[in-house]
Amino acid sequence: MNSLKNIVQDLSLKVVSGDIEREVSGGYSSDLLSDVIANAQKDDIWITLQTHVNIVAVANLKELAGIILVNGRQPEDATLNKAKLENILIMLTELPTFEIVGKLYEMGIHGKKRK
Amino acid sequence: MDNLIKATSKTQDLTYELKIQEVMDVNYQIVNSSMTVSSLREVLRKKRILGVPVVDNDELVGIVSIEDFIKCMEQGKLGETVETMMTKDVKTLFADEPLIHAVMKFEEYGFSRFPVISRDTNKLVGIVTKIDIIKGILKKLETVDQHEEERRYRASHIFQDIIADEISIQLKYYVEGRNFDKAGEASTGLKKTLNRLGFPPEIVRRVTISTYEAEINIVSYTEKGEITAYIDSNQVKMLITDKGPGIADINKAMEPGYSTAPGWVRELGFGAGMGLPNIKKFTDKMTLKSTVGKGTRLETVINLNNYRNENK
Amino acid sequence: MKLKEIKEILNAEVLTGEYDTEMEIEIGCSSDLMSDILAFAKPGVILVTSLTNIQVINTANMADIKAVCFVMGKIPGANIINLAKKDGIVVFQTKLTTFECCGLLYKNGLKSCSYSTFDEFRTYII
């Protein structure tokens, strides 16, 4: 298990909502909400380009450890408000998906096998 | 004359696409610096070459040419070593540089050959001469798909067979709305046609990416639309029209990330609010007019002049 | 990195038949949003995506992408494979997730095309 604290620090992520006192067990990368609903697993860290308010609901539903928005994307206002309300962790990075996933992988966070 | 210009522009493209390592000679001759000038003469004569790199212990230390040798001969220094006569400040090229860099260096220095160095190991990996460049380009030209090449040839000669002071081509594509399986057919057809007409790859890429985004918009939001390309010697102008719902706030729609796309579009990989910004990014001019309830009219222009400089 | 090495690393299957095993791929790119790919992909990238509709191939074609990898064992329809063959795009399929694919390729030295979407876009806004 990796702590979110370490991840945020090591990868210089900007936290805009939620708290980082939590462990991460794996990673999932997708920009399709239905795919995340179907395949992401509890305590995964989710990497996406999507900034739409629905990402908060998905993270909540799947009990994900947090969301990383890539490519310098900012959450929409509605997304940010809802994330704060529901205490969903949203982190921002300038890096593209490929690179941030690569760096997480190097820290020992892997994608889990699909059940 | 026109044929020559067409062929030359194709060759020019290849000098950007090909890398030096694809054309360089890897079975090159080397000498070491302690060799005598008279032995050097034997090497140059036997191998019928006009110059050779000097390598000591795997390191490139200099280069000698036939001119250096003639100078030595005039001064009666045939017994001396290569080290005394070689050029020590060697101009080199990296193996992964595009051919155009070599062409520019040949022009700049007037040399007839350059040693090629690996960027990773810093060691000599080949020699490149003007002949190698010509051979490499000819070989590449041959490997382009024959059939497509023939079509390209025919299409690109339309211009020569028509006599007029100005020639423009108009291409029209009808787009069916809501049908995601067919979306992209117009842009794919346009891409193929522009390739056949002999447009530079970068121009084709910009025209078709921007058109494809517009086509996806027609399919996502409207029942049907039309895409027309007007091509002349200066520009490619695209006119994309539909009778769909229109855009309520164009400024807002131009903001990256702003989208009114329905869920089904998002799940198909579009509708993330980047389509219009993409069109803006890839075109030189973009004019968007829309009336709610009536439809949308998008006009884009991509200039054909100096495309290479603009994209540096 | 050569395309055949990528195939090994991802334990992938080739869906489009014979391919140029020596093709040089320098950059990895992963996205399920096609406009993102159109905006930033450069020739010489491999695209890793969980989307398997025909627009992935059209997007690759427009952006001059020569290799695409579908993840999680998703088998695309025959129309998609046929279009890819026609456009000369190599299609791989792997059982791994997008996350695993990117992690493994990055670990093995594939570069990423660094960019900042919004900053670059802002300069284009009227």
Side-chain angles (χ1 to χ4, degrees), chain B residues 28-31 35 40 43-44 49-55 60 62-66 82 86 113 115 127:
Chain B
Y28 52 89
Q29 180 70 35
I30 56 170
V31 296
M35 182 184 260
L40 172 72
V43 172
L44 295 180
I49 48 178
L50 300 172
V52 59
V54 185
V55 176
L60 177 71
I63 188 162
V64 281
S65 69
I66 194 94
V82 166
M86 68 186 186
R113 67 187 45 69
I127 296 284

Side-chain angles (χ1 to χ4, degrees), chain B residues 3 13 22 46 60 65 73 131 136 152 165 187 199 222 244 256 265 267 273 307:
Chain B
N3 268 334
D13 281 338
E22 294 175 71
K46 268 193 190 145
L60 177 71
S65 69
M73 211 169 59
I131 297 290
R152 278 186 195 189
D165 292 330
S187 308
F199 283 96
T222 79
V265 173
E267 286 302 316
Y307 71 94

Side-chain angles (χ1 to χ4, degrees), chain B residues 60 92-96 115-119 121-126:
Chain B
L60 177 71
T92 60
L93 288 158
F94 285 119
D96 59 2
V116 182
I117 305 290
S118 154
R119 204 184 288 274
T121 62
N122 239 348
K123 301 255 190 267
L124 182 68
V125 288

